[in-house]
């Protein structure tokens, strides 16, 4: 099965944000059999609107990774049952059939502090910025 390049943005409950980011980074590396998963940890932010009428802040992280459609299905299944996850969205960035490589979407190690590329529509949908 062909592997595609995905970006998954997750909003966690505040409190254990960094632990959750590490947990999902490890999950993606192990489950998709890829050694490299790029993470943009955006930290704690105000939500655009309350979630479940209780949560006003969330911990944001974006993961860029390579995997199959089955990997995506398993990740989203895990995210749906995880009590620490408020919202998530996965976007397929490109088919590897077109010659795209994960490195095309991930900054070099020396440039890891630069933000990952994310489509403006996905950014607006997740972060509520217009």
């Amino acid at each position: 099965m062909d592997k595609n390049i995905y970006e998954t943005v997750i909003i966690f409950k505040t409190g254990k944000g960094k632990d959750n980011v590490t947990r999902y980074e490890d999950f993606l590396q192990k489950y998709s059999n890829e050694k490299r998963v790029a993470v943009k940890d955006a930290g704690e932010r105000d939500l655009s609107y309350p979630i479940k009428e209780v949560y006003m802040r969330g911990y944001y992280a974006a993961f860029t990774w390579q995997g199959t459609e089955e990997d995506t299905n398993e990740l989203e299944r895990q995210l749906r049952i995880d009590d620490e996850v408020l919202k998530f969205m996965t976007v397929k960035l490109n088919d590897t059939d077109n010659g795209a490589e994960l490195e095309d979407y991930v900054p070099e190690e020396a440039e890891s502090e630069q933000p990952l590329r994310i489509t403006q529509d996905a950014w607006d949908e997740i972060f509520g910025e217009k």
Side-chain angles (χ1 to χ4, degrees):
M1 173 108 2
D2 291 330
K3 291 190 174 191
N4 298 310
I5 300 166
Y6 296 95
E7 182 162 65
T8 301
V9 178
I10 305 172
I11 304 174
F12 298 103
K13 292 178 183 176
T14 58
K16 296 188 275 182
K18 288 194 180 293
D19 294 339
N20 288 323
V21 170
T22 302
R23 185 166 49 99
Y24 276 97
E25 181 179 13
D26 293 344
F27 173 83
L28 286 169
Q29 286 173 341
K30 184 184 291 182
Y31 196 81
S32 66
N33 294 320
E34 292 292 330
K35 293 183 176 146
R36 184 133 190 238
V37 174
V39 179
K40 165 115 172 61
D41 187 338
E44 200 171 305
R45 297 172 158 218
D46 290 333
L47 299 172
S48 297
Y49 55 89
I51 296 177
K52 300 178 185 176
E53 299 180 14
V54 175
Y55 301 102
M56 303 299 288
R57 293 184 64 77
Y59 196 95
Y60 290 73
F63 301 83
T64 304
W65 56 285
Q66 188 170 4
T68 64
E69 188 174 335
E70 287 78 20
D71 296 337
T72 304
N73 293 338
E74 179 59 21
L75 170 64
E76 291 187 348
R77 185 185 76 77
Q78 292 289 331
L79 292 169
R80 277 191 287 281
I81 62 175
D82 189 340
D83 289 339
E84 291 294 315
V85 174
L86 296 175
K87 293 244 180 214
F88 66 90
M89 176 188 280
T90 299
V91 178
K92 182 164 76 169
L93 297 178
N94 202 348
D95 288 319
T96 51
D97 296 340
N98 298 331
E101 297 288 334
L102 183 60
E103 288 73 27
D104 297 337
Y105 294 92
V106 178
E108 294 295 323
E109 293 297 326
E111 302 172 13
S112 63
E113 293 181 13
Q114 294 181 359
L116 297 176
R117 293 185 335 198
I118 182 173
T119 63
Q120 188 63 46
D121 291 340
W123 187 269
D124 292 343
E125 181 71 26
I126 293 293
F127 296 111
E129 297 176 0
K130 301 256 181 194

